[in-house]
Amino acid sequence: MEPLITLVVVTALLLVAGAAGVRRLRPWPVAVRGGLAAMFVLTGVVHFIYLREELIAMVPPALPAPGLLVTITGVLELLGAAGLLLRRTAPWAAAGLAALLVVMFPANVHEELTDPAGSLLGRTLMQIVFLAAAISVVVHHLRDRPNRTAETPR
């Protein structure tokens, strides 16, 4: 739940700052990128501290080297978060993080199926929100791209 709260609160704060006159934060995709970056910093950090053992336990048994997989995904989340903060790399980072969310989803399913108190529906809905936010950054970039090239002097 903390990642969802982080995404929503940081995005909302950036939207408010944009509405209050901070020009660079005015476009909604910038706020979403900031919210996603904050969320992925949070989730990336817990791959190394706080929840590392729990994350290793989430890796489905069919996959090799759970500790290494948790380390790799944590590094990718942190790199993706940094990439989201730069306009030029943001769409690539968002696409990579969207793919990472899809690839890691089986670990979430495995966790919820092995934890009788878990809620697969709740976890799935959160993943859909995260995925939609990441995809919105990519889609915005693709839609905005023709406008930028039309404005560029030749």
Side-chain angles (χ1 to χ4, degrees):
M1 185 61 85
E2 291 85 355
L4 179 61
I5 293 168
T6 302
L7 172 62
V8 170
V9 169
V10 172
T11 300
L13 289 173
L14 293 174
L15 286 170
V16 168
V22 180
R23 250 185 212 275
R24 289 186 169 201
L25 300 178
R26 197 164 288 157
W28 68 264
V30 174
V32 172
R33 285 174 26 210
L36 280 169
M39 183 197 82
F40 278 109
V41 166
L42 172 69
T43 60
V45 166
V46 301
H47 281 70
F48 302 99
I49 54 174
Y50 302 118
L51 299 177
R52 181 169 177 80
E53 294 306 315
E54 289 85 347
L55 292 173
I56 290 171
M58 284 177 63
V59 176
L63 297 176
L68 178 60
L69 291 175
V70 168
T71 299
I72 290 169
T73 56
V75 167
L76 291 174
E77 288 181 12
L78 293 170
L79 289 173
L84 284 168
L85 297 176
L86 303 171
R87 188 176 55 139
R88 183 168 280 181
T89 58
W92 294 101
L97 289 167
L100 188 62
L101 286 167
V102 171
V103 169
M104 292 187 325
F105 188 70
N108 290 308
V109 172
H110 173 72
E111 167 67 14
E112 295 303 326
L113 293 177
T114 57
D115 179 10
S119 168
L120 184 56
L121 177 61
R123 174 99 39 143
T124 301
L125 292 175
M126 276 197 302
Q127 290 290 98
I128 290 170
V129 170
F130 302 153
L131 191 57
I135 290 171
S136 76
V137 171
V138 176
V139 169
H140 175 75
H141 172 76
L142 293 174
R143 285 186 178 166
D144 191 44
R145 191 174 180 173
N147 295 335
R148 270 193 243 133
T149 56
E151 295 171 5
T152 307
R154 296 176 190 235

